[in-house]
Amino acid sequence: MSDKVLLQEQLGRVRLLTLNRPDKKNAINDPLWIALREAFQAAAQDDSVACLVLTGAGDSFSAGVDLASFGGTESDVPHPFESAARAVADFDKPLIAAAKGVAIGGGATVLFHADMVYAGETFRMRLPFAALGLVPEWASSYMLQANIGAQRAAELFYTAEWIDASRALALGVVAQVIPDEQLLAHALQRAAAVAQWPVSALREIKRSLRMHHTAAIDAAFVAEQAGMARQAGSPDNLEALTAFFEKRAPRFD
């Protein structure tokens, strides 16, 4: 496997992006945030790309934020996480995700910005923000509600529980569940079916579909960033992280 953290392959008018830290279950560190931002921005500007497919190398889609990646960033320098999330949210062409194994935190919320999500049978998703003393990100506090409804979204955020592929399908988080060994081929076949049409038309369709959500997505980014600033480093957040590394239940007294 290449030592690049993000693999890119052009397949006709489809571009395949593969998160490539399989030994870390594709946890997203600084180089991968930057690579994602640049890849989405480049694909948006390249008319040879009609559709993007996003997947993960190895046995999982993504374990989310690599906590070690937040250790060395100066406080007055914006973390590349924010610009990467905006590049995905602002992408103006069809985006298809193929996800198997774990999808946790940011590795799950990125999926809410995909136009179609196909899951492998081993897919397991968790939104652990409450358990970490944090708040949602990637505008997921809005996007999940828009995708599956307010009560279902609230249940997933408040409980921070795992959901498997069959429940993800029942909730509407994913469009279809495919055997793991057939997953990527199926996603690429669907992408090819999309990519046969004019890029200009695909852009306008996506703009039409997303225009109803743009203001709410922007507001969610602002609210989540403010909430994260209040919660990150708080006593509850520190207790959650300490308990995680000590492999014990947190004590939120």
Side-chain angles (χ1 to χ4, degrees), residues 4-7 17-40 54-57 60-73 79-88 99 102-113 126 129 137-138:
K4 292 183 178 179
V5 294
L6 183 69
L7 304 180
L17 303 181
T18 304
L19 308 175
N20 188 40
R21 301 185 74 213
D23 57 323
K24 301 292 185 181
K25 294 194 178 295
N26 300 316
I28 309 174
N29 60 2
D30 285 10
L32 186 46
W33 291 123
I34 294 168
L36 278 170
R37 178 187 67 204
E38 293 178 350
F40 271 82
L54 181 64
T55 193
S60 287
F61 180 69
S62 175
V65 174
D66 186 336
L67 296 178
S69 73
F70 281 83
T73 303
H79 195 278
F81 162 85
E82 302 292 352
S83 56
R86 284 302 328 206
V88 174
V102 299
I104 305 171
T109 54
V110 63
L111 297 174
F112 307 154
H113 292 278
R126 188 183 184 215
F129 308 108
E137 25 74 316
W138 289 77

Side-chain angles (χ1 to χ4, degrees), residues 78-193:
H79 195 278
F81 162 85
E82 302 292 352
S83 56
R86 284 302 328 206
V88 174
D90 294 342
F91 185 63
D92 65 350
K93 299 175 189 176
L95 171 62
I96 294 175
K100 63 183 179 181
V102 299
I104 305 171
T109 54
V110 63
L111 297 174
F112 307 154
H113 292 278
D115 297 285
M116 294 102 86
V117 179
Y118 299 108
E121 291 175 328
T122 59
F123 179 79
R124 297 175 68 235
M125 186 185 86
R126 188 183 184 215
L127 304 172
F129 308 108
L132 293 173
L134 296 174
V135 300
E137 25 74 316
W138 289 77
S140 60
S141 58
Y142 171 74
M143 289 300 297
L144 186 58
Q145 294 188 71
N147 289 341
I148 70 171
Q151 291 193 61
R152 289 176 169 184
E155 183 179 37
L156 297 187
F157 280 125
Y158 287 143
T159 63
E161 63 190 8
W162 286 97
I163 69 167
D164 62 13
S166 61
R167 189 175 176 202
L169 179 63
L171 288 170
V173 172
V174 304
Q176 194 172 352
V177 177
I178 309 291
D180 280 11
E181 62 273 14
Q182 301 171 23
L183 175 64
L184 183 56
H186 179 83
L188 290 172
Q189 184 274 327
R190 291 283 77 200

